[in-house]
Amino acid sequence: MAKLDMAWRQIRRLDEIASQQTVIHQLDPRVKLIVTFFYIVTVVSYSKYDLLGLLPLILYPVFLISLAELPLKYLLIRVLLATPFVFFVGIFNPVFDHTPLFQVNGFVLTGGWLSLAVLLVKFGFTVMAALILAAISGINEIGGVLLRFRIPRVFVMQLLFMYRYLSVLMEETGRSIRAYQLRRCEGRGIHHKAWGSLVGQLLLRTIDRAQRIYQAMVCRGFQGELHLSRRNNKAGIGDGVYLIGWTCFFILTRWVNIPGLLGRLFMEARL
Amino acid sequence: MSHHLVEAKDLTYVYPDGTKALQGVNFRITHGEAVGIVGANGAGKSTLVMQLTGNFLPVSGTVRVGDYPLTPKTIPQIRRNVGMIFQNPDDQLFMPTVYDDVAFGPLNQGLPLEEVEQKVTEALQRVGAYHLKDRPPYKLSGGEKRTVALATVLAMSPDILVMDEPSSALDPRARRNLIQLLAGFRHTKIIASHDLDLILDLCERTIVLSGGQVIADGPTIEIFNNEKLLAQGHLEKPLVLQGCPVCSRK
């Protein structure tokens, strides 16, 4: 129950963060989505050993987290929660790939270990970018952008309603489980004999609640179409700068090995 | 004909499971009237208010709101005239922020964005909740939720306000604020409630429902002083009309 409550609060927290009014939050959602897409494509396009080349791309999340005043710890925990899945995908790389790449003080770094590290970094960057997009846009804005990009309305509505009704379902589940646990004297969890009736009750209560919400919506003129555009979203100069700036940065990092270049410059300066 | 007229003639509603919720209900509410609908649990109050916004359609009889009889075709026009405030504000507030929630109705009316913004600002200022505009609704207190729910309806500029238990789950201060707020509105008001003190403060006329039928319809003060009638409707005199608990014992 506590876990369910906690999960619910975390989802709500993202909504709350998304409703902030920082410079980044006020950018055109289309631009935010395109830049995120470019970023993910750039990150994924690096070869499996190119750890150094990837590193400058950390500037994107760092820049956005600080400018949009996003809670770093909250985002990092979300990324870490998903890490085990990728870790197990790449865990056999060191076993199968023994190509020696570097030798530092007698320690040989094989391709397997490096590719595992690159995989984890790529995963961290892409998941972080997706989380940041959710935290600077909010579900409604994302829905609005999808519509503008000609994604069929029916899919977008499905997504938005699913998100909305998820809250209804979780609230009702929370209440039912709390009521069950308060009257369960011993043992933990839910006895398997109660599963059927609990799920059945939950379905009926959720339908009932969703019905009331729907009635409230139709009372305010809802006719099957959600109007999402909250404010005038005409792309301005700031949006253009944001889009072009990041795109140039991604291209630059992709074609120029910035850490290598800096390293060479540094070494030449020492010599 | 006035947009503010609400009329029910021989209104009958039966739920799909066969429960007769309303049986031959008749009333006529005119421009600017504030009418309380009272009755026991299950008397049909909520079903009646749901009829007025077309959430349920009558099985027989008619409902007329302003220039339109209630039919599936006229429901959109009727909903432009009637603002409904639900018993549980959590059912009414479903968007990520208060602003989005208040803007939901005007956006559905197809208003341009500038006008939507103006309507949202006016509605929130009118209920004194403008400072809450960027807050998520689930984080508001019960009283705040209720005032924001009121703003969501006011933003659509309705002629008639229909409320189902507007004071339920409010603390005394929030309840008093709500009463003062509603007293300042010139809309036609229809309030279904068990809170007879609130009805006494706001409504000059009261309809008493019992078993889905109207058992009384008249001036609030007369009805609330008729103890026999109140007992028949499973009601009690409002507290302000009862004797002082200290003095009356002496």
Side-chain angles (χ1 to χ4, degrees):
Chain A
M1 180 59 233
K3 280 182 188 166
L4 194 72
D5 260 352
M6 195 62 86
W8 175 224
R9 273 191 210 140
Q10 298 298 356
I11 292 178
R12 290 291 211 185
R13 175 98 196 270
L14 205 59
D15 270 347
E16 226 171 286
I17 298 166
S19 66
Q20 292 182 153
Q21 296 292 319
T22 66
V23 189
I24 301 292
H25 284 87
Q26 284 171 347
L27 287 170
D28 188 309
R30 283 170 297 183
V31 170
K32 289 188 264 191
L33 188 74
I34 294 171
V35 170
T36 307
F37 178 72
F38 282 171
Y39 179 73
I40 291 174
V41 169
T42 314
V43 169
V44 174
S45 72
Y46 278 83
S47 76
K48 62 178 182 174
Y49 296 142
D50 198 357
L51 184 61
L52 276 185
L54 265 172
L55 288 183
L57 288 173
I58 201 173
L59 278 178
Y60 174 76
V62 168
F63 182 84
L64 287 187
I65 287 171
S66 62
L67 222 61
E69 294 166 23
L70 305 178
L72 177 64
K73 195 175 157 195
Y74 172 84
L75 295 174
L76 279 179
I77 290 172
R78 305 271 88 67
V79 175
L80 282 177
L81 282 178
T83 309
F85 298 104
V86 181
F87 186 74
F88 285 111
V89 169
I91 189 80
F92 291 110
N93 287 12
V95 178
F96 294 120
D97 186 355
H98 291 289
T99 325
L101 293 176
F102 308 105
Q103 190 170 1
V104 185
N105 290 338
F107 174 76
V108 179
L109 181 70
T110 62
W113 284 108
L114 189 62
S115 64
L116 176 63
V118 169
L119 187 70
L120 288 175
V121 169
K122 279 185 181 179
F123 166 79
F125 282 4
T126 47
V127 173
M128 185 58 100
L131 277 173
I132 288 175
L133 177 69
I136 58 176
S137 303
I139 190 78
N140 273 9
E141 277 199 353
I142 294 173
V145 175
L146 292 177
L147 280 181
R148 285 181 185 196
F149 286 148
R150 311 245 172 240
I151 304 290
R153 185 166 283 274
V154 64
F155 292 130
V156 179
M157 299 278 279
Q158 284 285 335
L159 173 79
L160 294 173
F161 278 121
M162 202 173 70
Y163 187 78
R164 196 157 296 164
Y165 281 77
L166 183 69
S167 66
V168 177
L169 179 70
M170 285 182 88
E171 279 170 23
E172 292 294 350
T173 312
R175 273 192 214 131
S176 299
I177 295 177
R178 196 174 297 132
Y180 174 86
Q181 284 176 340
L182 284 173
R183 284 181 286 152
R184 181 176 163 85
C185 303
E186 51 193 44
R188 294 182 65 188
I190 298 163
H191 195 274
H192 66 86
K193 281 185 182 166
W195 288 358
S197 58
L198 204 68
V199 171
Q201 279 286 333
L202 199 61
L203 177 71
L204 294 176
R205 285 173 61 173
T206 313
I207 290 175
D208 210 32
R209 179 92 197 268
Q211 196 76 31
R212 290 203 302 274
I213 294 179
Y214 175 70
Q215 280 169 355
M217 288 167 84
V218 293
C219 277
R220 285 196 276 152
F222 178 72
Q223 288 176 319
E225 194 171 307
L226 271 181
H227 301 273
L228 296 161
S229 45
R230 175 179 158 169
R231 283 166 195 151
N232 262 328
N233 271 328
K234 284 177 190 158
I237 299 170
D239 299 309
V241 170
Y242 183 82
L243 177 65
I244 294 167
W246 280 121
T247 313
C248 292
F249 174 70
F250 299 153
I251 293 171
L252 182 77
T253 0
R254 187 66 194 85
W255 299 112
V256 181
N257 185 345
I258 299 173
L261 194 72
L262 288 176
R264 274 200 299 279
L265 283 174
F266 183 67
M267 292 305 283
E268 279 168 19
R270 282 188 67 180
L271 289 171
Chain B
M1 190 179 279
S2 165
H3 292 302
H4 299 230
L5 177 90
V6 181
E7 190 177 43
K9 275 188 187 165
D10 282 328
L11 178 61
T12 299
Y13 186 77
V14 182
Y15 279 101
D17 65 358
T19 312
K20 287 182 181 170
L22 297 173
Q23 300 178 63
V25 170
N26 288 292
F27 60 79
R28 181 185 165 92
I29 296 168
T30 51
H31 190 145
E33 264 191 295
V35 179
I37 297 175
V38 299
N41 290 326
K45 301 185 300 293
S46 295
T47 311
L48 180 59
V49 294
M50 285 297 196
Q51 302 274 335
L52 304 181
T53 45
N55 287 109
F56 301 157
L57 286 172
V59 171
S60 68
T62 56
V63 173
R64 193 171 187 91
V65 179
D67 301 329
Y68 304 100
L70 178 68
T71 64
K73 279 188 181 172
T74 57
I75 284 174
Q77 283 89 346
I78 286 179
R79 285 184 181 146
R80 278 176 191 267
N81 286 353
V82 182
M84 168 86 188
I85 294 157
F86 284 71
Q87 186 169 358
N88 182 358
D90 281 324
D91 292 341
Q92 202 159 352
L93 306 172
F94 41 77
M95 299 294 270
T97 66
V98 166
Y99 183 100
D100 289 327
D101 242 318
V102 182
F104 182 83
L107 281 171
N108 282 330
Q109 287 177 329
L111 299 177
L113 286 177
E114 293 76 21
E115 209 168 315
V116 169
E117 194 153 355
Q118 191 190 335
K119 289 234 173 200
V120 172
T121 308
E122 274 172 16
L124 283 171
Q125 279 172 344
R126 192 155 181 204
V127 300
Y130 185 70
H131 61 288
L132 303 172
K133 74 178 168 58
D134 294 318
R135 296 265 304 274
Y138 69 95
K139 281 220 158 184
L140 305 180
S141 71
E144 287 171 337
K145 278 183 191 171
R146 192 75 61 166
T147 47
V148 170
L150 196 55
T152 63
V153 168
L154 290 180
M156 298 180 71
S157 316
D159 299 316
I160 301 157
L161 285 178
V162 178
M163 285 161 265
D164 191 5
E165 295 289 359
S167 62
S168 66
L170 288 187
D171 63 44
R173 171 72 63 84
R175 175 182 168 278
R176 183 52 57 194
N177 290 343
L178 180 79
I179 291 174
Q180 282 167 354
L181 196 62
L182 291 175
F185 293 161
R186 292 181 171 217
H187 302 78
T188 301
K189 291 187 278 277
I190 301 171
I191 305 173
S193 182
H194 281 135
D195 183 348
L196 301 195
D197 286 273
L198 173 135
I199 300 282
L200 191 61
D201 281 351
L202 290 173
C203 306
E204 61 273 15
R205 177 181 161 195
T206 293
I207 295 171
V208 185
L209 285 180
S210 178
Q213 292 175 319
V214 175
I215 58 166
D217 181 353
T220 302
I221 193 76
E222 279 179 24
I223 286 178
F224 287 175
N225 273 314
N226 184 342
E227 290 191 32
K228 199 176 158 197
L229 177 68
L230 290 177
Q232 199 187 338
H234 285 229
L235 302 166
E236 277 185 349
K237 260 189 176 185
L239 291 172
V240 284
L241 294 182
Q242 292 180 17
C244 166
V246 179
C247 312
S248 58
R249 268 194 214 141
K250 286 177 185 171

